Amino acid sequence: MQAWGAGAIAALALLATSATAQDWMPLDADNTLVMETTQGRVIIVLSPQMAPQGVARIKDLTRQGFYNGLLFHRVIDHFVAQTGNPNNKDGGKSALLDLPLEAVFRLAETVPHSVVAQPDGATTGFIGAVPYVAMTDRHMPPAGDGSRAVRAWGTHCRGVLGMGRGDATDSANSELYLMRDTVTRLDRDYTVVGRVVSGFEVVAALRVGEPPSQPDAMTKMRLLSDMPASGRPKLEIMNTAGGAFATLVKAKRAEKGADFSVCDIMLPVHEVR
């Protein structure tokens, strides 16, 4: 679990009582995965803005039932939990064609995004629920055809979902990995497709090993939009354009000081009653 200092805990308590309806938004049902595992449920928000082909592939395979029953065949403490291979070990893949690497994308000024920090020469923030790093807006080309954009990439904070691959750069297919810790050295080398918003403790509880002696499994994977309305998790996520989010970022920045990074922020979710 994430360690929150006294300042951030106080801010969270304040948010629980003072956040308004505008500070929360529903999950995008068409881009939310509900992963049932032998350790519990994990809910993951996908980012087609970052990796359109990768997200489309995961959604296709999910709807085919491809992921149901597959094992977490490689789980390393403070690193990753890998799954998604039909042979339940490294090197397996679906019958579909491999995908190109989508590690770096163009972040257009028209794409909704929220900046939380501006380290030298870069900006960091969120596209939806997924953390990103980008070149500073000062590097955007002059306006002209309405397509001003900068190079950006998903950053490997704890809870991020990415697509595994082989030695070849363009070999992502069906394998998935969940970050059990923040490891940003993976940035710009692998395709980031989403982030966990609920169930961090489930990812942390997955049995460790290469392979584990008793591996956990994805018992069922579904898109939120494909679930019966009566059985859907009723969750809202904090709106990064709202005042409550700004308060949360301010508290975490004050707590961490010079060590603050976008990976220190996890968007709260709450149950809608």
Side-chain angles (χ1 to χ4, degrees):
M1 297 292 289
Q2 180 175 7
W4 292 90
I9 291 172
L12 286 171
L14 177 64
L15 292 176
T17 57
S18 65
T20 67
Q22 290 73 33
D23 288 315
W24 302 95
M25 57 192 299
L27 296 174
D28 177 358
D30 288 330
N31 286 296
T32 299
L33 293 174
V34 180
M35 177 192 290
E36 309 290 353
T37 80
T38 44
Q39 293 289 350
R41 172 178 282 180
V42 181
I43 298 177
I44 301 163
V45 171
L46 300 173
S47 181
Q49 298 90 346
M50 291 184 176
Q53 294 184 72
V55 167
R57 169 63 56 83
I58 293 167
K59 290 166 68 171
D60 285 346
L61 292 176
T62 295
R63 286 183 162 133
Q64 292 174 23
F66 177 90
Y67 290 119
N68 296 344
L70 296 188
L71 304 180
F72 288 91
H73 64 270
R74 181 172 180 254
V75 181
I76 304 174
D77 242 350
H78 304 294
F79 191 34
V80 297
Q82 289 179 228
T83 184
N85 291 346
N87 62 353
N88 290 316
K89 59 184 179 182
D90 284 346
K93 62 177 66 176
S94 77
L96 300 175
L97 295 175
D98 289 347
L99 295 175
L101 184 66
E102 295 178 288
V104 177
F105 61 95
R106 288 173 58 80
L107 175 58
E109 61 182 348
T110 54
V111 172
H113 57 284
S114 300
V115 174
V116 301
Q118 295 181 300
D120 289 345
T123 62
T124 64
F126 288 88
I127 298 174
V130 187
Y132 76 89
V133 178
M135 303 300 293
T136 179
D137 289 355
R138 294 194 300 272
H139 296 155
M140 275 191 179
D145 61 0
S147 60
R148 296 180 70 218
V150 292
R151 292 177 72 250
W153 50 94
T155 187
H156 285 77
C157 303
R158 187 169 73 95
V160 156
L161 175 70
M163 294 198 76
R165 62 173 177 83
D167 292 336
T169 301
D170 296 337
S171 60
N173 188 288
S174 65
E175 185 177 271
L176 307 174
Y177 61 87
L178 285 162
M179 299 304 299
R180 288 165 56 91
D181 209 336
T182 295
V183 187
T184 57
R185 65 177 174 80
L186 301 178
D187 289 4
R188 292 181 285 181
D189 215 11
Y190 293 85
T191 298
V192 168
V193 292
R195 195 186 193 188
V196 171
V197 295
S198 177
F200 286 95
E201 72 284 355
V202 173
V203 178
L206 295 172
R207 287 184 279 261
V208 173
E210 299 184 65
S213 58
Q214 293 181 299
D216 289 295
M218 290 188 290
T219 55
K220 194 167 190 177
M221 182 112 93
R222 291 169 289 180
L223 282 164
L224 185 62
S225 58
D226 292 342
M227 297 176 66
S230 60
R232 292 183 186 180
K234 296 177 174 60
L235 297 176
E236 289 185 333
I237 191 165
M238 183 166 282
N239 183 357
T240 60
F245 177 72
T247 299
L248 178 62
V249 172
K250 183 178 179 180
K252 197 63 180 178
R253 186 192 300 275
E255 177 192 341
K256 299 289 289 188
D259 292 332
F260 173 77
S261 84
V262 68
C263 291
D264 293 318
I265 303 296
M266 296 183 184
L267 297 186
V269 295
H270 71 179
E271 187 173 358
V272 180
R273 300 189 181 276

